[in-house]
Structures are given as structure tokens and as C-alpha cells.
Amino acid sequence: MAVEDKHITYRIYLVAFMMFLVAIAILVKLTNIEFTEGDYYRKLAKERTVRNFIIPANKGNIYSADGSLLATSIPSYKIRFDAVAAKSAAFEKNVKPLSDSLSVMLGKPSSYYQNLLRRARAQNNRYLLVARDLSYTQYIRIKNFPLFELGPYKGGIITEQKTVREHPIGKIAERTIGYERTTESGALIRVGIEGAFGKYLNGKDGRVLKQKIAQGQWKPIRNNNEVEPKDGYDVVSTIDVYIQDIAHHALLKQLEYYEADHGCVIVMETETGHIKAISNLGRADDGSYYETVNYAVAETQEPGSTFKLMALTAMLEDKVVDTSTVFDSFDGIVKYSGRSVRDSKKGGYGKLSLARGFELSSNTILVQAMMKSYENNPKKVVDRFNSYGLNRKLGLPFQGEGNPHIPQLSDKLWSKITLPWMGFGYGVSLTPLQTLTFYNAIANNGRMVKPQFITEVKAWNKTIKKYETEVINPQICSQETIDKVQAILENVVKRGTASRLYSKDFSMAGKTGTAQVNYGHSGGSEKYYSSSFAGYFPAVNPKYSCIVIVHEPNVAKGYYGGDVSGPVFKRIAQKIFTDSPSLNEIDNLNKKNLQQENSYKNYFAAANTKMLTMPNLHGMNGMDAVALLENQGFKVKAIGTGRVKSQSIKEGEVLEKLKTITIELS
């Protein structure tokens, strides 16, 4: 028995010793965690329960030249409720007043909100959704409601903010206004003005510290942000909304009629280079047209007959021929190295002066003039084209500007037909904007200016940066040459290929173009046409230059530049100068307009009266209508420009439950 007791005692000591060793090991490990690994585990615990979240800064606005909003950031707020945060006394005291306030603002009965809030408290819901898609004004209002005014810890209010980028004028000029987007792979895509001037527009993001309260749910720790976001600067563009609207719809109408694949139009202010309108429309599978690709900036192609102006200008400047030099069109066909150059008129034009050949867009006349001028020295005309800047990009701020191509003698593909083919716009390649820049220089008496899309970067009413007109070439050729080509371009409209556009009441000048394109379809074998018109208006002291290009029109309906693209040019010119004439003198400046006075009195009275039902907005100025509704706390979506044509909510309808009111302007 004594031996057995001895064995038991031994086992007890052994177990005690083992427990002692385990205790020592645990103590060593705890000491190691505290002093060696403690920081790591404390950091890990904190990261899993407390985290910094980014608050995206509001992007600056993009404005048109006339002050209209082209792109703006609208903050949108979501309100949630932590039903556990408030003490019982505070909750019971404020739950009914809070429900009453929510009822007035959001439209549902007070009893609905009381039940919602009480049920959330009974269920210990710390993330109850109360309201979403609130404007900034609504957010400021709701955070001062009973209970919520106590803040996130005592009142339980949780605020979530996101920024929505909107284009008030809709899809018009969408590609030029642009965007910034991040792909799934993390690549940043920058398009248009938004992408090019992001360093000014984007601002600086803020940070807010949040604590994890449930699976996937985070609540702000403080009422104030760790770092407040700094809004971006505003950018003022050169776009004129009125001209943009004219250009867009004139192009759209023509594309639809001719069932074309795509097209573009650009309107440039002659003296400054300011782009007043730019529209790029491509056809979708359903036959409708959208802004998909910035064809005006990115697409290069053989321009065809619009390039004849560059060839004519070079020849006149080098004095190798004159406008009166006569050539024989040889029944409409001339050959070089076994390749035929044909006129569009069967049988040709007989014998013509160079000027008349240009007016009628005779390929045979221009090709012969080119060969007569430069056959023995082709480098001379290539150097001349290079001096016009036709062999290099314009250096626009956008990504994806197309690369122009002017054949050089050092090119491997230079051949015996390269020189004559340049005479009527083949073998060369330009973007529409590069072509227009040259035409604008002719309209501007030889002064070539860079196309400009931005005039100013602003912070409220303070100018951060000013963009002045940039001169590419102060004088591309002599005034003598300018005078000659200006007269010929005017005659193209009066008695040449664009004579259908002529009006004795309104002057225009320009050049038609009809280029045959043999690539991009059915492995490059199918032929289609690109119709264009480039010019300026008025013909004397031009104010604007313009180019219109329509790709792949239905040949059964027409494909010549004067028929397809020319009418778009004329429509834009006439709408700008006949529908909205500019007056140099204003009579009776101080005379009161009775209709205007009454209109203002009615607006002022309405703006200072709490609206319970929808008023009749028909005929009201769009800006007044928007201001009237927004001052009453409603969200407004305006479509178009001008005066109110229709409203989404009928006159007399109760407004309590409404969130957004849509008005259509014309």
C-alpha cells in the first residue's frame, strides 16, 4: 500500500511540474506578445474594427462659354439610424417629433416612421435605412431633426455620401465633355475635357474614420471628417450651347436621312480658334445615333477634294501657276504611270482655268497643275505642306488625337503616282479638325491658330488659370495668295459644286469633298464614300469656320459633299446668323418692358410662397422655373434650353410626395 501511495505522489508531482512548465511557457508567450508582437496584434485588431474610408472630393463643374452647365457633381446622401446609440429617455422623448419631421420631408405618415424606429430599437438594429438620394439641402435639414441633432453617438444618425456626375444638356457633346473611369483591371481611362483637365477638376479626396458595427457595416466614429475633401476647380469651355444644339441636330437629321454610318461637325471661331460646337455621332445597331467616338479629333482619312485647297494655296504661293492658267481636262481622264484620274463629270469639262477647275472640283485640272508645278521638284510642295503643319499633330490636350500623314520623299511607299494623287487629296491623311484648322487660317487672313476647348480655370469667381489664343503660324502664306483663294472659295458656293447652297441674302465660302474609301469593309474590298464640306461664314470678315463629314451615306440617296454635308453647313450658318442676329446698337435701353416686369413680379411672388401644389410653368423661362422649384426644396431635371414646354407633374397636383420634377424646354 505504501508503494502504491508513493507512485500516486510521484504522479501528482509530475503533473504539477508539467503544469508549472506550461504556465511558464504561457507567461513567456504573453510577455513576448506584449513587448515584441504587441504592436502588430493591436494594429491588426484596430484595422479589423476601425478603418479610414476615402471621401471622394466633388469634381469641379464644366461650363459652356455662355455660362451653361455642361457637367457637374451632385452630392447624394443616404441617412441610416443606429437604434442602439440613443439612451432610452432621449429616444422616447424624440421619437415622435423625429417621425413627424420625417413625415413632412419624405411624405410617409408619422406612424410609419414611429413603427420603423421602434422596431429597429427592439431588434438592436444599428444600421436602419431611413432615406436615400437626398440633396445637400435635404441632408442639412434632416441632420437638425429631433434626436438626429444629437449626433451619431447620442442621436444615432449615420450619414453616407456619394457624388454623382451629371450632364445637364444630356447626350449632346458628351464625348467632348468626356469622363474619367477606372476599368476592372484598375486602368484609368481619360476622355474629353473631363479627362484632359482632371488635375484641376478632381480636387483632393478627404478621409473619414469608421468603426465596424456588423458584418460589412461601418459607422463614422466622429461627426467631423478626419480630413475634409477639397472640391475641384471649375473649367470654362469654349462650347456655346446654342451653337452646339444647332450643329448636333443639323448633323443628326442628315445622318438619319442618308442612313450614314457616322459623321462629325465642328464649328470654330475664326479669330480665336475657340471650338464653339463639336458633334460626333455614330450609328447603333437599332439605327439610332450616339456620341461614341470623337471622330473629329481621332479619325484620320484621305480627305479627297477638301485637300485641293492646300494644293492650290501651295501652288499660288510658290508662283508656279496662276489662277488664270488654262488646262485641258481631256474628256475627263488623265493617266499617270498607267493609273487613271477621272472627273466626276463624264466627258470632262473641256479647257478650264485653274480657278474654274477648282470651283468645279475637277480632279484632272488639279492633278495637271500639281504635276506642272512640282514634277521636277516634288520636295518643294512637300516642304510647303510641312510648313503648314499638316505633317504633325495639333498637340491637343486630349488622348487619342489622330496622326496625320503627308508623304515624304524618304518614305518607302513614295512612288510616281504619289505627287499627282496628292493634287486631289489621296495618299494623304488628316483628321477633320486638322483640315478645319487650315481652312480657318485662310478665313483668318493667313493666321493659323490652335483649336482651343478651354478658356479659363476658376475657383468660384477667382481665375486660377487663363488660356489665351495660341498662334501656330502667324502667316501661312502671303496676303496676295489669301485674297485669291478666298475669292475662289466664295465662287465655289456661288457657281461651283456647292451652288445649291448659295443664297443672295447670306454669304458663305468653302469646298466640297467626296472621297472614295476602300478599306474597313469586307476585308478592305468594298467601296464606300465619305462626303465633306469645309469652309467659313460670312464670306467677308468671317466669324466662324466649319467642317462637316458624313461617312458611308446611302449612295441611292446621294453621296456628293455638296448634297450630303453642305446642307448641314448651311443650316448651321443660317441658324446662327439669321435666327439670332447680332445688333450693334440697342435703342431705349432704359425703357421698361411691361411684359418683363409682370413676368418678374409673378416669379417673385411664387418664389416667396410655400408651394403645396404644382404651379403652371408653361411659357416660363427655364432658369426661372428651375430656381423657383429648387428654392422650394424640390429636385429638378431640365431637358433642353429656352422656355418651359411641358412639365412631368400636372398643374394642381399635390407636391408633398414628389422627389424629382422634370421640365422640358424649347
Side-chain angles (χ1 to χ4, degrees):
M1 191 69 180
V3 174
E4 186 177 343
D5 289 342
K6 187 177 181 180
H7 283 298
I8 291 173
T9 303
Y10 175 75
R11 291 192 191 103
I12 291 172
Y13 284 145
L14 182 62
V15 170
F17 180 71
M18 293 297 295
M19 291 179 65
F20 176 75
L21 290 179
V22 170
I24 293 295
I26 292 173
L27 183 62
V28 170
K29 184 63 177 176
L30 289 175
T31 303
N32 186 50
I33 290 174
E34 174 65 23
F35 295 101
T36 307
E37 302 177 6
D39 290 342
Y40 168 76
Y41 284 107
R42 280 190 290 271
K43 181 181 178 183
L44 184 64
K46 185 176 180 181
E47 286 178 349
R48 290 180 176 178
T49 57
V50 178
R51 185 185 300 173
N52 254 313
F53 284 77
I54 296 296
I55 306 174
N58 286 333
K59 282 192 173 185
N61 296 329
I62 299 177
Y63 290 96
S64 67
D66 54 355
S68 300
L69 266 176
L70 299 180
T72 185
S73 291
I74 299 177
S76 178
Y77 295 88
K78 187 183 292 183
I79 301 298
R80 294 184 181 272
F81 178 55
D82 180 356
V84 179
K87 293 182 178 180
S88 295
F91 179 82
E92 292 299 332
K93 177 183 177 182
N94 291 291
V95 66
K96 178 147 190 339
L98 172 59
S99 299
D100 291 342
S101 298
L102 291 172
S103 175
V104 172
M105 180 175 176
L106 303 176
K108 293 182 179 179
S110 176
S111 58
Y112 167 83
Y113 291 104
Q114 283 193 62
N115 292 333
L116 184 70
L117 297 173
R118 289 188 181 279
R119 186 166 60 250
R121 189 167 178 85
Q123 296 172 352
N124 292 327
N125 188 338
R126 305 197 66 184
Y127 206 57
L128 173 70
L129 178 63
V130 177
R132 69 172 79 229
D133 298 328
L134 299 182
S135 68
Y136 177 76
T137 304
Q138 291 173 313
Y139 156 66
I140 294 298
R141 184 177 164 192
I142 203 170
K143 70 181 291 192
N144 290 306
F145 282 176
L147 190 61
F148 284 173
E149 65 183 353
L150 300 178
Y153 288 105
K154 295 181 179 180
I157 185 173
I158 301 173
T159 303
E160 297 176 353
Q161 177 186 341
K162 68 176 181 178
T163 301
V164 180
R165 196 68 168 166
E166 291 194 1
H167 294 172
I169 66 171
K171 295 292 184 180
I172 295 178
E174 183 179 35
R175 193 74 185 180
T176 301
I177 296 169
Y179 56 82
E180 277 191 347
R181 291 177 187 164
T182 303
T183 64
E184 293 182 359
S185 63
L188 183 62
I189 299 176
R190 293 186 173 98
V191 172
I193 293 172
E194 189 113 333
F197 295 90
K199 64 179 181 179
Y200 296 114
L201 289 165
N202 289 339
K204 293 183 179 179
D205 293 339
R207 294 195 308 273
V208 60
L209 199 62
K210 293 186 179 183
Q211 184 177 29
K212 192 173 185 179
I213 58 175
Q215 184 65 33
Q217 298 177 1
W218 296 79
K219 172 185 173 182
I221 290 178
R222 303 183 184 88
N223 210 16
N224 297 324
N225 297 322
E226 290 287 298
V227 177
E228 291 295 334
K230 183 179 179 182
D231 291 348
Y233 295 130
D234 296 332
V235 168
V236 181
S237 77
T238 60
I239 300 293
D240 184 298
V241 172
Y242 177 70
I243 299 176
Q244 179 68 43
D245 185 64
I246 293 170
H248 172 88
H249 287 97
L251 176 64
L252 177 61
K253 179 180 178 181
Q254 209 72 344
L255 291 174
E256 290 176 336
Y257 175 77
Y258 282 97
E259 303 170 11
D261 181 74
H262 66 273
C264 68
V265 58
I266 316 167
V267 180
M268 182 190 292
E269 192 171 64
T270 304
E271 185 177 357
T272 63
H274 290 180
I275 301 300
K276 310 309 291 184
I278 179 169
S279 183
N280 300 277
L281 295 174
R283 189 178 187 182
D285 293 337
D286 62 359
S288 57
Y289 290 88
Y290 297 96
E291 287 246 353
T292 53
V293 176
N294 196 339
Y295 302 110
V297 170
E299 186 174 47
T300 57
Q301 69 160 75
E302 293 172 313
S305 293
T306 53
F307 192 80
K308 290 174 182 174
L309 177 64
M310 292 71 157
L312 178 65
T313 303
M315 289 186 284
L316 295 179
E317 186 67 10
D318 288 333
K319 298 185 183 302
V320 286
V321 291
D322 191 60
T323 56
S324 60
T325 304
V326 175
F327 297 90
D328 192 337
S329 63
F330 295 106
D331 296 326
I333 303 175
V334 294
K335 289 189 176 183
Y336 293 96
S337 300
R339 299 283 298 275
S340 296
V341 176
R342 301 175 183 273
D343 283 329
S344 59
K345 181 182 178 182
K346 191 174 182 180
Y349 299 96
K351 293 183 178 181
L352 294 176
S353 68
L354 177 58
R356 186 59 180 156
F358 184 94
E359 293 165 10
L360 296 174
S361 200
S362 169
N363 294 334
T364 60
I365 299 297
L366 267 294
V367 167
Q368 288 182 77
M370 180 70 88
M371 292 300 288
K372 175 182 172 64
S373 303
Y374 300 110
E375 184 175 15
N376 296 324
N377 188 9
K379 186 177 183 301
K380 189 173 184 178
V381 72
V382 171
D383 289 345
R384 182 65 69 181
F385 290 156
N386 292 344
S387 74
Y388 298 154
L390 302 178
N391 63 326
R392 56 185 179 272
K393 292 182 179 181
L394 292 167
L396 302 178
F398 309 132
Q399 291 184 353
E401 181 185 355
N403 281 307
H405 173 66
I406 297 296
Q408 307 292 311
L409 271 69
S410 58
D411 292 347
K412 292 181 179 179
L413 296 179
W414 182 279
S415 69
K416 292 182 179 180
I417 66 168
T418 301
L419 179 62
W421 257 240
M422 284 196 293
F424 65 118
Y426 285 88
V428 298
S429 184
L430 298 173
T431 68
L433 190 52
Q434 289 159 354
T435 299
L436 179 60
T437 300
F438 185 86
Y439 274 76
N440 190 78
I442 297 298
N444 203 20
N445 289 319
R447 184 172 179 259
M448 181 179 283
V449 294
K450 183 177 179 178
Q452 188 173 331
F453 292 82
I454 296 297
T455 60
E456 193 175 6
V457 175
K458 299 181 69 175
W460 293 96
N461 59 348
K462 179 184 177 182
T463 298
I464 303 300
K465 185 173 182 179
K466 199 88 170 173
Y467 288 84
E468 304 293 345
T469 296
E470 184 176 336
V471 179
I472 298 174
N473 189 333
Q475 197 66 40
I476 63 169
C477 61
S478 67
Q479 191 61 48
E480 179 186 0
T481 298
I482 291 291
D483 292 340
K484 289 179 180 179
V485 295
Q486 284 181 347
I488 294 172
L489 288 171
E490 188 173 0
N491 284 335
V492 169
V493 177
K494 285 182 177 179
R495 62 187 190 189
T497 53
S499 59
R500 292 184 182 182
L501 308 180
Y502 175 71
S503 170
K504 61 182 178 61
D505 300 318
F506 184 80
S507 64
M508 298 174 288
K511 180 72 185 74
T512 58
T514 308
Q516 179 180 311
V517 185
N518 292 315
Y519 45 82
H521 288 248
S522 301
S525 60
E526 186 177 335
K527 177 177 68 175
Y528 74 91
Y529 291 96
S530 169
S531 306
S532 58
F533 188 94
Y536 49 85
F537 54 91
V540 179
N541 296 323
K543 176 68 173 175
Y544 299 104
S545 60
C546 177
I547 187 169
V548 182
I549 299 182
V550 175
H551 278 265
E552 201 174 348
N554 186 334
V555 293
K557 292 186 175 182
Y559 58 90
Y560 287 112
D563 299 328
V564 179
S565 297
V568 178
F569 181 96
K570 182 177 181 180
R571 174 69 172 165
I572 294 169
Q574 286 187 322
K575 286 288 287 183
I576 291 174
F577 279 98
T578 61
D579 288 8
S580 296
S582 177
L583 302 178
N584 293 324
E585 296 181 2
I586 302 176
D587 297 326
N588 301 320
L589 183 62
N590 297 318
K591 183 179 179 180
K592 290 188 176 181
N593 185 309
L594 185 60
Q595 182 180 0
Q596 186 179 31
E597 292 284 318
N598 291 334
S599 176
Y600 175 74
K601 287 179 181 178
N602 293 335
Y603 165 75
F604 185 81
N608 287 276
T609 303
K610 178 66 178 177
M611 291 192 303
L612 300 178
T613 59
M614 185 69 186
N616 183 4
L617 302 176
H618 285 252
M620 181 180 287
N621 182 284
M623 293 181 67
D624 289 346
V626 171
L628 173 64
L629 295 172
E630 287 187 343
N631 285 338
Q632 296 286 337
F634 298 107
K635 194 173 181 180
V636 185
K637 181 180 180 181
I639 301 173
T641 58
R643 295 185 175 274
V644 178
K645 181 173 70 173
S646 64
Q647 55 194 69
S648 63
I649 308 305
K650 295 181 180 179
E651 178 187 2
E653 190 169 330
V654 177
L655 289 173
E656 286 185 3
K657 299 181 180 181
L658 298 178
K659 289 184 178 180
T660 303
I661 300 172
T662 302
I663 57 176
E664 188 174 350
L665 312 176
S666 64

